[in-house]
Amino acid sequence: MPASAHTSATHLAAEVSSQPDNWAHAATVAAEHRAVLPRSGERVAVVGCGTSLFMSRAIAALREDAGQGLTDAWPASGLRLDRDYDRYLFICRSGTTTEVVRAMEQVPAHIPRTVVCSSPGTPVLELGDAILIDEIDEKSVVQTRFATTTLAIARWHLGEDLTPVIAQARGVLAENPAESLAAVRHAEQISFVGMGFGAALADEAGLKLRESCQAWTEGYLATEYRHGPISIAAPGRAVWAFGALEPGFAADIAVTGAHLEHRAIDPMAELVRVQQLCLLRAADLGLDADHPRNLNRSIILDQ
């Protein structure tokens, strides 16, 4: 059963449930925009804010792992313009985020700039080669399908076949989350861990729970978790691992009494499980998952 069958009918629930179809369509988007996506051998900077920064980190890790060239991920407000990049790839759902607009304006004119956006008629679309995916734009302030579809576009472009990942996500959405997430539904604290691009998605998972239901969450490289953060692990708390477990990791968590949540599935499909938890916990607390406190769809600063 879809997540929306077990939670209040929110925009977030509908957007979470649409992701497998969005990821499948991403193959077509990647093929259509091949000319403006990073080419093998290019030195690339991927840039975003918030969730888009985590997707930038994921893309950078995957691209370098694929041997396609040096790839850095930067927050738009901290973009280094003195590096010898061949292309900048910007990610901006709203198309109006001040830091992204400013960063795009500052990139030297002779260096190609590509921007992925889901909002027509916005400033970023005029500042670079645009990949407009308005069919997956979101009504919820909390980003889900825009971010993961952008990552799916990059993965298809890198030569990955996401068919198995899509099948895993469909399987996740077919579950009853009240049952499959029972062990973490009421956890006092959750630490997300992962390696490679899974580490970036682990950070994104923590952000989603903080945004949607004000949960106490943290994110770490799995190899760094034992260098201090493990001290927070205790009964009633959880450690949620994305991707393959590091050797000895499960045994180390068992000693703490914390619950270890882990499945042998792709981190993108695992992120869907966290998004379902967002819906469950927000409903438990009577919170509006579409409109987190203190947040807006776009951060527009005074000029």
Side-chain angles (χ1 to χ4, degrees):
M1 297 176 69
S4 57
H6 305 281
T7 59
S8 57
T10 66
H11 296 307
L12 184 61
E15 289 156 7
V16 166
S17 296
S18 74
Q19 287 174 113
D21 289 342
N22 302 148
W23 302 351
H25 178 64
T28 300
V29 178
E32 290 175 347
H33 294 89
R34 183 180 296 108
V36 297
L37 285 165
R39 301 170 186 173
S40 181
E42 286 185 330
R43 296 167 59 91
V44 176
V46 193
V47 187
C49 297
T51 288
S52 294
L53 175 59
F54 296 141
M55 296 306 109
S56 298
R57 285 175 44 203
I59 292 168
L62 287 164
R63 188 170 185 269
E64 290 204 344
D65 286 346
Q68 294 215 4
L70 182 147
T71 316
D72 293 327
W74 295 101
S77 58
L79 178 59
R80 295 296 299 264
L81 297 169
D82 56 351
R83 302 287 173 90
D84 188 20
Y85 294 122
D86 300 309
R87 181 180 302 273
Y88 290 83
L89 174 60
F90 291 86
I91 303 172
C92 185
R93 175 180 68 167
S94 71
T96 56
T97 300
T98 300
E99 291 101 328
V100 174
V101 173
R102 288 175 178 171
M104 292 187 72
E105 290 174 338
Q106 292 169 5
V107 171
H110 69 281
I111 303 178
R113 289 161 291 181
T114 300
V115 59
V116 183
C117 178
S118 62
S119 302
T122 53
V124 301
L125 299 176
E126 303 300 321
L127 295 172
D129 296 313
I131 300 178
L132 178 62
I133 47 175
D134 53 338
E135 68 275 9
I136 55 89
D137 197 24
E138 297 157 331
K139 294 182 179 180
S140 175
V141 170
V142 176
Q143 280 197 53
T144 52
R145 70 183 181 190
F146 169 75
T148 60
T149 302
T150 298
L151 180 55
I153 291 169
R155 294 182 72 176
W156 284 110
H157 179 66
L158 288 170
E160 290 192 62
D161 180 2
L162 296 188
T163 303
V165 183
I166 292 167
Q168 290 173 356
R170 293 193 195 282
V172 166
L173 289 166
E175 297 173 347
N176 180 343
E179 297 175 357
S180 62
L181 297 170
V184 289
R185 183 171 184 172
H186 302 293
E188 177 192 22
Q189 186 272 344
I190 303 176
S191 292
F192 293 94
V193 300
M195 297 297 292
F197 89 101
L201 296 194
D203 280 337
E204 166 63 5
L207 177 61
K208 288 290 87 89
L209 281 167
R210 290 192 294 274
E211 289 176 336
S212 62
C213 51
Q214 303 165 24
W216 174 16
T217 60
E218 301 174 5
Y220 302 97
L221 278 171
T223 49
E224 287 297 307
Y225 182 72
R226 290 176 282 204
H227 291 271
I230 195 171
S231 61
I232 203 67
R237 299 176 181 176
V239 180
W240 195 325
F242 278 49
L245 291 176
E246 290 296 298
F249 191 84
D252 289 339
I253 300 306
V255 172
T256 71
H259 168 74
L260 176 61
E261 186 74 14
H262 175 255
R263 283 191 184 181
I265 61 176
D266 189 273
M268 269 174 57
E270 191 68 44
L271 184 59
V272 177
R273 299 186 68 226
V274 178
Q275 293 164 349
Q276 289 183 307
L277 182 61
C278 292
L279 292 162
L280 280 176
R281 293 184 68 152
D284 288 344
L285 295 168
L287 298 174
D288 182 352
D290 287 329
H291 301 95
R293 66 181 182 185
N294 305 325
L295 290 181
N296 295 307
R297 175 179 162 90
S298 177
I299 305 301
I300 301 176
L301 306 175
D302 293 335
Q303 300 296 323

